[in-house]
Amino acid sequence: MADDKDVLRDVWFGRIPTCFTLNQDEVTEREAEPYYLLLPRVSYLTLVTDKVKKHFLKVMKAEDVEEMWFEYEGTPLKWHYPIGVLFDLHASNTVLPWSITVHFKNFPDRDLLHCPSSSIVEAHFMSSIKEADALKHKSQVVNDMQKKDHKQLYRELGLNWYRSADKFDQFWAMNRKLMEYSTEDGGFRYIPFRIYQTMSDRPFIQKLFRPVSPDGNVHTLGDLLKEMDPTALPNDGVVFNIFPPVCLRRSFMSLTLSLCFSLLSSLFRRVSRPR
Amino acid sequence: MSSSVLDEQNFHHCCQLLLQQSEQLKDGWSWEAVQSGLAAPVDADSIEGDIDDKEGEDEGACTVSEGSSQVLQYEYHIVYSCSYCTPVLYFRAFTLEGKSLSLEEVWSSVHPNFRLRLQNSPLNTITLQEHPLLGQPFFMIHPCRTEQFMRPVLQAAQDQHRPVNYVLSWLSVVGPMVGLDVPLKYSTQLHPTASLSSTKPD
């Protein structure tokens, strides 16, 4: 478990340098300077951009400000995806810092979920935890928790955990409950995961996948990918950029699953090996 | 053994039955097959009605705002959730000008009898989510309590040795909460002729 934890720390503390620029069509009282921020990979845009909002509101009138939303090269950014996934999906080939455009008008409600308050983020987050728990333990863990535990779970896992090093250990203590195996079932029922692909009609692939094969062999990440999208896995030299970094040990996979809010957001895209 | 969950194959089967009945009743459900085999029946009907806030006028009417009168268009999707092994109802609502309803407006259109029950546990209610196949924002009724309320329905059907369409029974519970009426004719036609096989609770 020791080296698993090291990888986890790397993911936990992973940051993306980002430059926020105000959309030039916004009405401002004076010129708006861009705002720079290091975004944590494992958080959500709406949780970490209060400072961005404050910065731009300084140059705008209140009546010109509606719900804030973000866009990268014309694509509205889905706040309910982890930041690392958004970056890997949309911008992994670009030069850093990642340039995001900030909007305060014309919210694209056919593309983006509204996020008027942090309680919406909390609800979304807890919904993911519940769904992952349904897959892993048939919802036993989350249902056995009391409401106050749900609140604490969100606090530890959601709100502040990315902010400081000591929070990592607190997170892990809280998260242990979600990762513990039920001895009667002998492990997770199914692995909670999602695969995001750059070229796809569907937002993501999410299907049932058992951690162990019928003959008792432990499944690896490679097995999972093969089953979920065999067409994306040619045999010759393919590199996967997976968030978090790939490792084929199942225990690692389980741990990283837990890190990504117990519902793994795993991105892969094909990068052909140079000949 | 009576199972209060639904596997994907059974889901397909129940939907096919529902579709056949829908065709006979001209109720507008259709089946959309999405690449990779997961599919969702879509209600292409628009649910229209006069909206006003007078008390007692309840026939599918929705109260949106004081003194206003508008026609709303709803779109309903039934999607199978493999995480919860149940169907899930997704829907969205627009004015005729194409403006989406907000979550607050949707809540105010839920019948007061249902509203209290739903609002008691925020996680088990109506939220805005990304449609798992289309990627667009839809309202969703959270599925985590479905197994609970379906259990007595399936048990009763089993005890009385009669067939039950899981999806239809489920829809008749959750649909009306959000403006989707399931006509009684669906269940009066449930007893199939010899050419159809019905869903048996197992």
Side-chain angles (χ1 to χ4, degrees):
Chain A
M1 275 280 233
D3 49 27
D4 283 349
K5 261 248 171 100
D6 285 342
V7 178
L8 275 172
R9 280 185 180 272
D10 285 345
V11 177
W12 177 275
F13 293 113
R15 297 279 190 269
I16 301 170
T18 308
C19 171
F20 289 91
T21 311
L22 189 63
N23 171 38
Q24 53 199 22
D25 295 336
E26 305 291 325
V27 177
T28 57
E29 295 185 314
R30 50 186 189 282
E31 176 123 14
E33 298 278 317
Y35 189 82
Y36 291 85
L37 201 56
L38 277 175
L39 295 179
R41 277 187 159 269
V42 282
S43 184
Y44 298 122
L45 273 174
T46 44
L47 281 185
V48 299
T49 49
D50 274 344
K51 288 190 176 147
V52 175
K53 187 171 181 182
K54 284 201 179 92
H55 169 80
F56 290 117
L57 290 192
K58 281 191 270 189
V59 302
M60 296 178 75
K61 288 203 199 104
E63 61 253 32
D64 297 321
V65 173
E66 291 168 2
E67 185 173 349
M68 181 169 67
W69 57 280
F70 304 101
E71 164 245 313
Y72 175 71
E73 294 197 342
T75 305
L77 294 177
K78 299 185 179 185
W79 64 262
H80 63 285
Y81 286 11
I83 290 170
V85 173
L86 287 174
F87 179 77
D88 291 340
L89 259 180
H90 297 299
S92 55
N93 280 332
T94 60
V95 168
L96 295 174
W98 184 18
S99 289
I100 292 182
T101 307
V102 183
H103 294 254
F104 288 99
K105 284 247 176 235
N106 300 318
F107 191 92
D109 57 17
R110 298 270 179 147
D111 298 308
L112 295 184
L113 305 181
H114 281 284
C115 189
S117 70
S118 61
S119 61
I120 298 285
V121 184
E122 179 177 349
H124 167 76
F125 176 82
M126 285 308 297
S127 184
S128 297
I129 295 280
K130 286 191 82 161
E131 188 174 355
D133 192 45
L135 285 167
K136 287 187 295 183
H137 310 122
K138 248 198 155 179
S139 299
Q140 276 165 358
V141 178
V142 174
N143 285 345
D144 282 347
M145 285 178 167
Q146 294 180 346
K147 193 161 186 179
K148 65 172 172 65
D149 292 332
H150 286 182
K151 285 280 180 191
Q152 192 186 356
L153 188 67
Y154 177 65
R155 263 203 310 278
E156 299 304 334
L157 292 181
L159 254 187
N160 292 313
W161 53 269
Y162 63 90
R163 281 188 185 151
S164 63
D166 24 307
K167 289 291 183 181
F168 176 76
D169 295 318
Q170 280 179 310
F171 156 78
W172 198 248
M174 203 62 215
N175 190 56
R176 197 173 291 285
K177 274 188 226 172
L178 294 170
M179 291 302 297
E180 251 147 36
Y181 299 99
S182 151
T183 48
E184 314 127 21
D185 295 354
F188 291 169
R189 218 161 55 105
Y190 298 105
I191 303 279
F193 73 92
R194 277 188 186 159
I195 298 178
Y196 300 90
Q197 291 172 283
T198 43
M199 301 295 189
S200 177
D201 295 331
R202 313 175 59 156
F204 51 78
I205 296 174
Q206 181 181 340
K207 293 186 195 168
L208 297 180
F209 187 78
R210 291 199 183 274
V212 174
S213 71
D215 41 354
N217 293 320
V218 164
H219 279 140
T220 65
L221 189 53
D223 291 331
L224 185 154
L225 293 173
K226 213 185 298 178
E227 183 160 321
M228 291 307 139
D229 196 346
T231 61
L233 293 169
N235 289 325
D236 57 321
V238 179
V239 174
F240 298 102
N241 175 28
I242 294 188
F243 164 68
V246 69
C247 164
L248 294 184
R249 286 176 52 195
R250 185 189 74 110
S251 61
F252 172 84
M253 180 165 76
S254 299
L255 290 172
T256 57
L257 287 172
S258 75
L259 187 66
C260 299
F261 312 121
S262 294
L263 190 73
L264 175 69
S265 299
S266 159
L267 166 76
F268 75 93
R269 59 186 181 86
R270 266 179 296 175
V271 176
S272 47
R273 196 181 275 167
R275 301 200 182 272
Chain B
M1 190 196 62
S2 168
S3 164
S4 45
V5 292
L6 184 70
D7 64 53
E8 197 166 347
Q9 206 179 6
N10 251 322
F11 170 76
H12 280 232
H13 185 65
C14 291
C15 289
Q16 293 306 321
L17 286 178
L18 199 150
L19 280 168
Q20 282 164 353
Q21 289 167 295
S22 170
E23 265 164 39
Q24 288 177 3
L25 296 170
K26 298 205 183 344
D27 200 28
W29 286 96
S30 66
W31 182 254
E32 303 282 329
V34 178
Q35 272 179 352
S36 74
L38 199 57
V42 170
D43 183 353
D45 264 3
S46 53
I47 308 273
E48 293 175 56
D50 271 322
I51 319 299
D52 63 45
D53 62 341
K54 294 209 193 81
E55 240 135 88
E57 289 211 10
D58 209 356
E59 210 99 23
C62 307
T63 314
V64 177
S65 56
E66 293 277 274
S68 75
S69 186
Q70 8 174 359
V71 175
L72 300 177
Q73 185 167 13
Y74 281 74
E75 183 184 335
Y76 298 93
H77 293 214
I78 302 175
V79 183
Y80 182 73
S81 162
C82 53
S83 306
Y84 291 100
C85 300
T86 60
V88 184
L89 188 64
Y90 289 85
F91 66 98
R92 50 186 181 183
F94 307 101
T95 62
L96 284 184
E97 291 83 40
K99 178 171 170 297
S100 310
L101 252 57
S102 69
L103 187 57
E104 292 73 33
E105 285 167 330
V106 166
W107 270 119
S108 64
S109 73
V110 172
H111 194 288
N113 289 351
F114 297 123
R115 206 184 302 164
L116 197 60
R117 197 65 206 265
L118 287 175
Q119 281 178 331
N120 268 341
S121 54
L123 283 183
N124 303 320
T125 63
I126 302 171
T127 56
L128 192 58
Q129 298 285 339
E130 180 182 41
H131 191 295
L133 302 172
L134 301 178
Q136 294 173 335
F138 270 72
F139 296 107
M140 175 196 85
I141 299 185
H142 205 280
C144 61
R145 292 279 180 243
T146 298
E147 192 183 338
Q148 248 180 16
F149 70 72
M150 284 303 291
R151 209 176 296 140
V153 173
L154 295 172
Q155 186 64 54
Q158 192 186 44
D159 293 344
Q160 294 158 27
H161 303 290
R162 53 179 172 78
V164 64
N165 182 324
Y166 190 113
V167 174
L168 182 62
S169 300
W170 160 84
L171 189 63
S172 69
V173 173
V174 297
M177 295 195 290
V178 292
L180 178 64
D181 271 331
V182 182
L184 271 180
K185 284 214 177 91
Y186 271 101
S187 62
T188 57
Q189 289 183 3
L190 184 59
H191 299 288
T193 55
S195 56
L196 292 173
S197 64
S198 59
T199 308
K200 292 194 219 328
D202 45 358

